Amino acid sequence: MRQVYEIMSSNTVPSAVIRRMPRYYRYLGDLLSRGITRISSADLSRRMNVTASQIRQDLNHFGGFGQQGYGYHVETLYNEIGHILGLDQEYRVIIIGAGNLGQAVAKYTNFNKRGYKVMALFDSDPALAGTIVGGNPVYHVDTLPEYLSEHPTDIAVLSIPKVGANEVAEVLIDNGIQAIWNFASLDLQIDPGKVVVENVHLSDSLRVLTYRLKQLREAEKGTAE
Ligand code: NAI
């Protein structure tokens, strides 16, 4: 099965499908932790509020994992999706910017449990260098190239203001970083062939929430009139 989707998944899977995979993974992990070993496609679709055909289409991008009349074997599907998402290995992570956000990420122990091993933080504030956050050392950002030459690292979290973020990203990429989890509110100007970037905008999610709140209140007002 693995060989099948490795062939099928080579850069052809739409990004909307990829973005739904972590949710499948989360639901299946929840089912597993509750001892549920098998789930029908209808039941999974009802729990996730996604049509059964959407689930089938999504999984077909990777070869499909269900069986007619059986549904899905939860552990197998969980492991396969984990493999698709690259979660069956560990990643070394550094955090650039040891302020409120960087410290919160460093202290969130679930990342560690899930295989994202935070190794160190870096900051331009000399007062922070030499401190420990969430059990990890904080170094001055000027020492990044030296650190990276000695400690191969997979992912950098960018939790600094947008001013200077692009310059820091260039240093990261020049020193071997291939994945950036970018919280700085700017689009990094970098060569997409060399590095993958996930931009995180908590405020986008909050704005969608306020839109939905507005819709809900308008609907309530409409039914009250
Ligand atoms: P903060 O001010 O507490 O921390 C920022 C840290 O970055 C400071 O310790 C500062 O010394 C350091 N820093 C600044 N320039 C640097 C550089 N060039 N190299 C290394 N370190 C540098 O701010 P906070 O609350 O932690 O937020 C950090 C950034 O993340 C802010 O720009 C904020 O706008 C952004 N942010 C984005 C969110 C999102 O959803 N995308 C959510 C929250 C914050």
Side-chain angles (χ1 to χ4, degrees):
M1 182 70 79
R2 236 162 228 184
Q3 276 171 340
V4 176
Y5 75 70
E6 268 158 13
I7 296 162
M8 299 181 76
S9 66
S10 53
N11 284 336
T12 55
V13 182
S15 78
V17 176
I18 303 289
R19 292 200 178 274
R20 284 194 286 272
M21 299 310 271
R23 188 159 173 255
Y24 292 133
Y25 187 74
R26 199 156 34 81
Y27 268 74
L28 291 161
D30 184 49
L31 293 174
L32 257 190
S33 68
R34 289 191 279 134
I36 298 169
T37 54
R38 171 182 163 183
I39 188 160
S40 71
S41 134
D43 198 7
L44 184 61
S45 117
R46 189 179 43 77
R47 283 170 196 256
M48 294 194 60
N49 202 17
V50 178
T51 64
S53 115
Q54 170 91 83
I55 296 175
R56 217 169 18 252
Q57 279 176 32
D58 285 351
L59 297 179
N60 275 344
H61 284 285
F62 305 97
F65 301 104
Q67 277 173 39
Q68 196 91 42
Y70 177 89
Y72 298 102
H73 185 265
V74 175
E75 189 174 5
T76 305
L77 187 54
Y78 176 79
N79 289 336
E80 292 294 350
I81 293 179
H83 180 72
I84 290 165
L85 293 172
L87 302 179
D88 46 7
Q89 66 179 82
E90 280 193 356
Y91 295 93
R92 289 166 164 263
V93 178
I94 57 167
I95 298 173
I96 320 301
N100 293 307
L101 183 58
Q103 295 209 15
V105 173
K107 288 175 185 166
Y108 184 56
T109 51
N110 269 354
F111 287 140
N112 224 30
K113 284 188 211 142
R114 290 173 187 158
Y116 304 97
K117 302 282 173 201
V118 175
M119 309 304 291
L121 296 89
F122 294 84
D123 203 285
S124 57
D125 181 351
L128 286 172
T131 60
I132 301 284
V133 173
N136 300 290
V138 182
Y139 300 120
H140 195 275
V141 72
D142 288 351
T143 65
L144 249 182
E146 189 190 336
Y147 175 91
L148 289 172
S149 71
E150 288 164 11
H151 305 88
T153 300
D154 305 293
I155 299 173
V157 179
L158 212 48
S159 47
I160 58 175
K162 61 181 169 186
V163 177
N166 220 77
E167 289 73 6
V168 174
E170 279 168 17
V171 173
L172 290 167
I173 297 162
D174 288 348
N175 289 281
I177 289 287
Q178 291 183 297
I180 297 178
W181 201 27
N182 177 36
F183 286 85
S185 49
L186 88 165
D187 292 329
L188 298 172
Q189 302 297 313
I190 48 176
D191 179 353
K194 275 186 168 175
V195 62
V196 289
V197 178
E198 261 305 298
N199 296 306
V200 185
H201 295 290
L202 295 182
S203 51
D204 285 3
S205 173
L206 204 51
R207 284 169 188 145
V208 171
L209 185 68
T210 51
Y211 169 80
R212 292 176 58 207
L213 178 62
K214 193 174 144 214
Q215 300 290 103
L216 178 71
R217 287 182 174 163
E218 280 171 6
E220 277 177 355
K221 220 165 101 195
T223 49
E225 280 167 4

